Amino acid sequence: MFCNIKKLCIYGLILTFIGNCFLSCRSIPGPDKNQVFKEIDYTEADIVSEEIKRIENFKEKDLLKALWRAWLLNDNVKDNSLVQECYNECINQAVEQYNQAVEEKDYVQARRIYTSLKNTSYSGTADLSVTEKQLNESIVKSISALTTNSKKDSTIAQCMKGTVTILVDRGIRIEKGVGYSDMVLGSGFFISKDGYLVTNHHVIESCVDPSYEGYARLYIKLSEDGETRIPAKVIGWDSILDLALLKVEIDAPFYFELGSSDDLNVGDKVYAIGSPLGLESTLTSGIISSTDRDLNMSAKVFQLDAAVNSGNSGGPLIDQKGRVQAIVFAGVQNYQGLNFAIPVEYLKNDLPFLYAGGKKIHSWIGAYGKTKRLPGSGSKNEGIIVNYVQPGSPAFLAGIRENDTILKLNDKTIYSLDQLHTDYIQLAAGTIVKITYVNSLGEEKEVPVYLEERPDTPGNSVFTHDIITSSLYPIIGVKLTNVSVENKNLYLITDVLKNSVADQSGFVVGDTVQILNAEVSKDKSAIYIELYAKKRMHGNIDMGIGMQAPLDSPNYF
C-alpha cells in the first residue's frame, strides 16, 4: 500500500513535470459527512426540543450520558419547565440505579454513578445509602490482592512456586502445505490463594479477540509440575495496558504480594521470573534503567537490563523482598539490556475492572494536548495545554477549547498528562467527571465532562470527524489554512507542533503544501500522506514528500 523512499523520489519528479493543473483536480479523503458535528444552538426552541428527544433515547442505552446532556441543556436554557423536568428525571433514575448497584454489591458501577451524580450538581449525595469512601473501601476489600500486606520477605524459592507458564494451544497452522503446532508461550503469576493470576493481554489475545476465527485453548503449567496442563479461563483483560486476569480451579501453591512502584528508583536491583523459550522458572536479575519510558502507551513503563526473552511476557518483576513491582511485557530483539515492564501501580488500579470481567474500556474526552511546562531547567509542570479538541466530543460540548489549560480532575490537581492518564485508569468509561481549566482569556472554569469510550485509534476518529485543515494538527502536527480558491488542496502552514512528525520532517510556519492523497491503513493504525511542498528552509524548492504517522498517541486524552 505504502510507497518506499525510492519510489517517492521518482514520484516527486513526476509531480513536478505534470504541474499543478492536474493535481488540483484530485479530491482528498476527509471526514464522513454523516459524522461531522453540527453545533447545538440552545437558543432555538426546535433544537432544544430535539435535544430533549435525544436525551430520552440516551436513557435507554447510557443513563449517565443522558444525565450529562441534560445538565448541559439545563445549564444553557434557563426557566424552561420541560428542560428542568428532563434533568430531574435523569437524576431520579440515576439514584435508583445507584441503590440497585449497591444492593447487588456492584461497587464499581455504584462508584461510577455516585461520582457522576456529584459532578452534575446533585445535592442529595448525603442521603445515598453508601458514601463514596465506603464504596472505595468495599472495592478494595473485595479484591484480596489489594489488601494483602504481610510485610514479610519472600524467598526466591517461594516466588518460583507462584510463577506459572502460560500456554495457548492454537492447533495446527499450515505453511506451504506442511502442518506445524501453533503454540503461544508466556508467563504469569498468582495474586491470590484461590487461583487468580496475572499475565499479558498479548499472550492470551487469541482467546478473547472476536476477529480471531481459529482454535484456541488456554492452559497453565505450575513450576513444580511441568507435565500437567491445567485449564484456565480469562476473566478480564486490558489491551491498552497489556494486562489480563486469569482463573484456574486450584489453590495457588504461593501467591505474590503486590508492591509499590514508587519504592523503585533507577539503579535498584530487580529479578525477573518466567519461562523464556519454554524454560520454566528461569530467574534473571538486573537493575532499573529508567522509570518513565514512553512506548506509545497511555502509561510510562520501566526499562530494565535483566535478560528477558520470548516467553518471559507476563512474568513478575520483583524486588529483593519478593514483592511484585512490575509485569514484564516487552524487549527489543537483537539488543541486549533493552527490556520493559509495566509498573504494578497500573495493575492495582486496573484490578477492580479486570475482576468485574470482560474487556477494560478506557476513556477519553476527545482532546489532544501536552504537559504544560515553562522552558528552562528546574521549571515545574503547570497542567495540560490543550492543542486540539475534536468537534462534537465531550470536551467540545463542555466548552473546552484549544489553548485552554486543564488544572484539575475531580478537584485533584493535575500536573502532567501522565498523571491524567493514571487517574483515567481508575475511572470507568461512562463516568461524569469535573474538570477545572483556565481558558485563553485567563478565566478559571469548572465543567462536568462525560468520559467517552476511547477509540482504538483516536487519530482515525479525528480524521473522520473533522476537516483536514484541523485534523492534521494532532495527527502530523501542522495547522493549515486554504490559500487558493481554484485549488482547494493548496494550503499554507500556520503552526507546527514541536516534536511532531511535521516538525521532524523540517516543516516550518509559512511553508505551502499541496495535499495529493491521505490514506488510512486497513487496520486504522496509521495514515500515509502524499504532498507536494515548497519548504522555506530549503529555498522554496518544489518537492514531492511522503509522510507516515501513527493514529494513536499518549497525547490523546
Side-chain angles (χ1 to χ4, degrees):
M1 181 191 300
F2 297 150
C3 304
N4 56 35
I5 296 174
K6 181 178 180 181
K7 186 176 180 181
L8 286 173
C9 295
I10 297 173
Y11 188 44
L13 294 174
I14 294 174
L15 293 178
T16 305
F17 177 74
I18 62 178
N20 291 335
C21 294
F22 174 75
L23 299 174
S24 63
C25 297
R26 294 192 61 178
S27 60
I28 304 302
D32 184 337
K33 292 182 180 179
N34 296 321
Q35 299 187 55
V36 175
F37 174 72
K38 296 180 180 179
E39 196 163 356
I40 301 172
D41 184 358
Y42 292 106
T43 62
E44 295 287 340
D46 290 343
I47 293 179
V48 170
S49 178
E50 287 299 317
E51 179 67 2
I52 291 176
K53 291 180 182 178
R54 193 177 293 112
I55 290 170
E56 291 297 325
N57 291 330
F58 281 141
K59 282 183 183 179
E60 300 177 4
K61 301 176 182 178
D62 189 340
L63 177 60
L64 295 185
K65 188 171 186 178
L67 171 60
W68 176 62
R69 295 289 288 252
W71 185 94
L72 290 174
L73 184 61
N74 188 54
D75 188 59
N76 283 276
V77 181
K78 306 297 183 183
D79 302 322
N80 185 310
S81 59
L82 292 177
V83 170
Q84 186 65 46
E85 181 182 352
C86 175
Y87 172 65
N88 289 336
E89 286 178 358
C90 290
I91 286 287
N92 293 333
Q93 289 185 31
V95 171
E96 289 178 9
Q97 284 195 9
Y98 169 82
N99 290 326
Q100 182 180 349
V102 172
E103 185 177 345
E104 296 173 355
K105 296 184 178 180
D106 187 351
Y107 299 121
V108 172
Q109 170 70 350
R111 183 173 64 180
R112 171 175 170 252
I113 300 173
Y114 188 102
T115 301
S116 300
L117 283 168
K118 185 174 66 173
N119 290 326
T120 48
S121 306
Y122 176 61
S123 59
T125 51
D127 300 326
L128 296 177
S129 55
V130 178
T131 66
E132 187 173 24
K133 181 180 179 181
Q134 290 172 321
L135 282 175
N136 291 330
E137 291 174 348
S138 297
I139 290 172
V140 172
K141 288 179 181 178
S142 66
I143 302 173
S144 59
L146 297 177
T147 57
T148 302
N149 188 12
S150 65
K151 295 184 179 180
K152 293 182 180 178
D153 296 354
S154 300
T155 66
I156 293 298
Q158 289 175 317
C159 293
M160 291 291 190
K161 293 180 181 179
T163 310
V164 303
T165 301
I166 308 290
L167 298 170
V168 180
D169 184 355
R170 303 201 298 189
I172 302 296
R173 72 176 187 276
I174 306 299
E175 293 183 6
K176 298 180 180 180
V178 180
Y180 298 90
S181 175
D182 189 3
M183 188 78 70
V184 177
L185 186 69
S187 303
F189 58 96
F190 287 106
I191 59 171
S192 66
K193 183 67 176 177
D194 54 353
Y196 284 96
L197 60 144
V198 170
T199 187
N200 285 145
H201 164 260
H202 77 259
V203 174
I204 54 86
E205 183 175 8
S206 54
C207 298
V208 297
D209 183 1
S211 65
Y212 179 73
E213 298 178 351
Y215 169 93
R217 292 292 182 269
L218 177 62
Y219 304 93
I220 72 162
K221 291 197 297 183
L222 300 176
S223 63
E224 296 179 315
D225 183 2
E227 296 183 356
T228 304
R229 291 186 178 184
I230 302 172
K233 62 180 178 180
V234 182
I235 302 299
W237 65 95
D238 185 335
S239 58
I240 291 180
L241 290 180
D242 200 8
L243 295 171
L245 180 70
L246 313 183
K247 179 72 166 67
V248 291
E249 299 305 321
I250 63 169
D251 286 341
F254 175 82
Y255 59 94
F256 285 88
E257 183 177 334
L258 302 182
S260 173
S261 302
D262 293 337
D263 297 335
L264 281 187
N265 294 303
V266 173
D268 286 351
K269 190 169 185 178
V270 289
Y271 303 88
I273 307 176
S275 304
L277 305 178
L279 301 173
E280 292 95 344
S281 301
T282 297
L283 176 74
T284 56
S285 64
I287 62 168
I288 297 293
S289 304
S290 175
T291 59
D292 60 352
R293 290 301 184 209
D294 184 356
L295 294 188
N296 208 30
M297 299 173 64
S298 295
K300 296 291 187 181
V301 299
F302 290 161
Q303 178 184 329
L304 53 138
D305 71 349
V308 169
N309 294 284
S310 176
N312 270 108
S313 295
L317 188 73
I318 62 175
D319 59 20
Q320 297 189 65
K321 295 181 179 180
R323 294 180 175 85
V324 176
Q325 298 292 1
I327 301 91
V328 175
F329 81 100
V332 180
Q333 291 185 349
N334 302 323
Y335 290 88
Q336 295 183 353
L338 285 177
N339 303 306
F340 304 93
I342 304 160
V344 73
E345 301 301 334
Y346 295 115
L347 172 63
K348 291 162 74 172
N349 291 333
D350 229 13
L351 277 179
F353 304 102
L354 298 181
Y355 268 92
K359 180 181 179 180
K360 165 66 185 294
I361 305 299
H362 283 257
S363 309
W364 84 324
I365 60 173
Y368 178 100
K370 297 183 178 182
T371 299
K372 186 175 183 180
R373 183 183 178 90
L374 294 175
S377 177
S379 59
K380 296 182 179 180
N381 298 336
E382 298 185 340
I384 301 168
I385 183 70
V386 179
N387 299 124
Y388 171 86
V389 179
Q390 178 181 301
S393 67
F396 187 94
L397 292 174
I400 298 172
R401 295 292 183 268
E402 182 181 329
N403 295 322
D404 291 349
T405 301
I406 294 176
L407 303 177
K408 294 181 181 179
L409 177 69
N410 289 338
D411 295 322
K412 178 182 177 182
T413 301
I414 298 296
Y415 295 103
S416 67
L417 189 56
D418 298 330
Q419 182 189 346
L420 181 66
H421 283 309
T422 300
D423 289 347
Y424 270 5
I425 293 170
Q426 302 174 60
L427 296 165
T431 303
I432 302 172
V433 299
K434 181 171 66 176
I435 289 181
T436 305
Y437 69 97
V438 174
N439 64 20
S440 56
L441 300 176
E443 302 166 332
E444 185 171 310
K445 295 188 175 184
E446 288 184 352
V447 289
V449 184
Y450 177 82
L451 292 182
E452 205 167 60
E453 179 178 342
R454 187 183 192 272
D456 291 334
T457 52
N460 185 59
S461 177
V462 168
F463 188 66
T464 55
H465 286 79
D466 204 351
I467 58 176
I468 199 165
T469 51
S470 300
S471 65
L472 290 186
Y473 196 42
I475 293 173
I476 63 172
V478 289
K479 188 177 293 185
L480 305 173
T481 185
N482 289 100
V483 293
S484 173
V485 176
E486 296 179 354
N487 185 355
K488 295 182 180 180
N489 296 332
L490 185 64
Y491 305 96
L492 176 72
I493 295 178
T494 58
D495 194 16
V496 179
L497 279 175
K498 290 184 178 180
N499 296 321
S500 64
V501 173
D503 185 32
Q504 294 172 4
S505 299
F507 285 96
V508 297
V509 173
D511 287 349
T512 56
V513 297
Q514 186 169 358
I515 299 178
L516 310 177
N517 191 29
E519 186 175 4
V520 175
S521 62
K522 288 183 179 180
D523 62 358
K524 314 296 184 186
S525 65
I527 188 171
Y528 182 77
I529 299 172
E530 298 172 0
L531 49 84
Y532 188 62
K534 285 188 177 182
K535 290 186 176 183
R536 295 173 61 197
M537 294 180 65
H538 293 79
N540 287 323
I541 298 175
D542 297 342
M543 60 182 70
I545 298 174
M547 301 175 66
Q548 184 172 332
L551 289 174
D552 194 4
S553 164
N555 294 99
Y556 292 103
F557 65 90

